[in-house]
Amino acid sequence: MPRRDSPGPESWETLFTGISHLVTPAPGPQRGPAMRELTVVEDAALLVQGGLVAWVGPRRDAPRTPSTRDLGGVAVVPGLVDPHTHAVWAGDRLADFEARLAGVPYEEMLARGGGIRSTVRATAAAPMEELVQLARPRLEALARSGATTVEVKSGYGLDFEAEVRMLRAVRELQSLLSVTLLPTLLIHVPPETGRAAYVQAVCAELIPQVAGEGLAVAVDVFCEREAFTVGETRAILSAARGHDLGVKLHADQFHALGGVELACDLGALSVDHLEASGPAQIVALAASETVATVLPGVTLHLGLPAAPARALIDAGACVAVGTDLNPGSSPLFNAGLALALAVRLNGLTPAEALTAGTVNAAAALGLRDRGALAAGQRADFLALHSPDWRDLVYTLGASPVRDVFVGGERISL
Ligand code: NIG
Ligand code: FE
């Protein structure tokens, strides 16, 4: 249960020692070869003041402080950022899973009114308290896996009241959990009839309401053949921009329809999925500030091609990795495992994966204050079981993460 341990009087300033290696990317988004440039400090110390990193360096050079905490000789890395989840849902997709294993494609289930639409029916019928109860253990699992910041999308509501209920559930979850939650309004599936009027109402009613109540920091659209067209996506994201909300896209999951190009043109925070992206999309992303977020859980669970993260990094793009935790395409409740899969399935090096899951994932959420262990950054960090940080992306099926610190305080897991 990730709540902060009660802070002692010394908690304003603590020097952490017993760090075999402190390993971190530089602050801010990193692209191309810079994704591999980690700073490694052997026998390190980390000074936390008021929830922020105040100093990092070799232990022998550390400033003197009354309060020290020995971590026992293990590796320390920044807290992970999961930039893409659909952690709030009701019902399950176990029958879908079996049907898919028997050969029915995911898109076909959606086209037949199943898939995402079945989760929409169950979620729209659930009261907010039930959504909170269902989502809480999922977010606790992500926190245990090392995620100290997690994006959570709506998108299973369809009708506006249910979308707003999902976002209110995220607000309630934030009051129960120590990790930071970033709520995103996701416009996910069009209604079966009256889609033009629906898009119009999303722009004129839903987005203004969500912005007015401060219920989301960004708007995302699923741009795909079975979902929204490029034109509809542009209209919705332009309305979001008009209300000072960040913009993001689900694009190129099954078909490269132009969603990536739209994301780059709009200067979106991120464009996510990219399993169907090819050379033209890679060139566009390499030339833009938009973060390319890949979701290896989807590749594993749906058997889709892996997004071309290796080629994106080689071309100079800024790549992030997320779990895409959701019941249909990625039941992956572990942010470290998403990085481990990105190494195996998308061809990232361990160093690139750490950067993708920290500073670059933070940039995909418009955040630059976290993801690196450097003076001025949030003191969100992980103490591993191992003295070698690479265990984070090597281990499969057991947790390489021993302790999770948020703002310099250990959360109980
Ligand atoms: O990111 N692609 C669309 N949306 C989700 C899946 C949601 C679902 O299948 O329930 C995704 O993969
Ligand atoms: Fe998604």
Side-chain angles (χ1 to χ4, degrees):
M1 167 149 343
R3 309 267 5 215
R4 280 189 190 90
D5 289 352
S6 31
E10 77 286 2
S11 69
W12 194 83
E13 178 175 88
T14 304
L15 183 71
F16 291 88
T17 60
I19 301 173
S20 63
H21 297 88
L22 183 144
V23 181
T24 181
Q30 305 296 325
R31 53 196 313 134
M35 285 183 65
R36 293 189 284 279
E37 284 168 23
L38 301 180
T39 297
V40 179
V41 185
E42 262 181 69
D43 190 10
L46 168 70
L47 180 65
V48 175
Q49 282 176 348
L52 300 180
V53 176
W55 181 90
V56 171
R59 183 174 52 91
R60 61 177 181 277
D61 300 337
R64 292 193 174 281
T65 53
S67 167
T68 61
R69 180 156 177 177
D70 186 338
L71 294 174
V74 296
V76 163
V77 297
L80 305 180
V81 176
D82 188 346
H84 185 138
T85 84
H86 308 248
V88 177
W89 77 82
D92 68 63
R93 299 272 283 283
L94 298 168
D96 276 17
F97 177 49
E98 233 184 344
R100 219 169 28 67
L101 293 173
V104 186
Y106 175 88
E107 282 175 284
E108 195 179 312
M109 277 184 293
L110 179 57
R112 288 183 194 168
I116 298 175
R117 291 188 195 278
S118 73
T119 303
V120 165
R121 287 190 290 275
T123 306
M128 190 195 79
E129 298 69 32
E130 187 183 332
L131 295 177
V132 170
Q133 267 181 20
L134 289 166
R136 185 174 180 169
R138 299 170 189 150
L139 292 166
E140 288 173 345
L142 287 175
R144 267 196 302 281
S145 77
T148 49
T149 297
V150 180
E151 188 252 22
V152 187
K153 300 178 194 294
S154 70
Y156 292 128
L158 194 59
D159 77 64
F160 293 175
E161 204 189 304
E163 284 299 323
V164 166
R165 194 179 326 126
M166 288 185 75
L167 293 171
R168 293 212 170 106
V170 179
R171 180 179 276 181
E172 178 66 18
L173 286 156
Q174 180 65 92
S175 73
L176 301 170
L177 301 170
S178 306
V179 295
T180 308
L181 304 182
L182 272 284
T184 296
L185 171 66
L186 170 62
I187 307 304
H188 205 176
V189 279
E192 272 144 318
T193 56
R195 57 190 289 156
Y198 181 79
V199 169
Q200 165 65 26
V202 165
C203 298
E205 295 165 32
L206 182 58
I207 290 174
Q209 182 189 352
V210 165
E213 292 183 34
L215 284 170
V217 295
V219 177
D220 188 347
V221 180
F222 183 21
C223 183
E224 186 53 62
R225 273 192 202 159
E226 307 298 342
F228 292 94
T229 65
V230 172
E232 290 164 340
T233 304
R234 183 186 280 280
I236 294 166
L237 295 180
S238 303
R241 268 284 159 71
H243 287 85
D244 285 333
L245 295 168
V247 302
K248 305 169 80 66
L249 288 82
H250 278 66
D252 291 15
Q253 182 174 6
F254 299 100
H255 305 97
L257 301 180
V260 166
E261 292 79 353
L262 174 63
C264 297
D265 186 39
L266 291 174
L269 289 171
S270 74
V271 56
D272 304 28
H273 274 288
L274 312 174
E275 292 88 345
S277 294
Q281 290 73 39
I282 293 168
V283 168
L285 281 163
S288 89
E289 301 282 303
T290 296
V291 177
T293 300
V294 302
L295 307 165
V298 179
T299 295
L300 183 67
H301 188 67
L302 294 188
L304 292 187
R310 175 75 269 136
L312 281 160
I313 296 172
D314 291 344
C318 176
V319 171
V321 172
T323 61
D324 196 11
L325 170 59
N326 77 76
S329 69
S330 184
L332 175 59
F333 295 76
N334 189 310
L337 189 51
L339 302 185
L341 292 177
V343 168
R344 271 91 171 171
L345 302 177
N346 303 92
L348 270 63
T349 67
E352 289 167 346
L354 185 65
T355 302
T358 53
V359 283
N360 285 5
L365 301 176
L367 303 172
R368 284 168 188 250
D369 65 341
R370 65 196 69 200
L373 296 173
Q377 291 268 296
R378 278 178 61 93
D380 295 348
F381 60 94
L382 312 178
L384 304 187
H385 284 290
S386 165
D388 191 324
W389 76 273
R390 292 172 299 184
D391 270 313
L392 182 67
V393 295
Y394 168 80
T395 304
L396 301 173
S399 179
V401 176
R402 190 191 70 190
D403 299 313
V404 177
F405 292 85
V406 172
E409 288 171 22
R410 193 172 73 86
I411 61 176
S412 25
L413 298 170

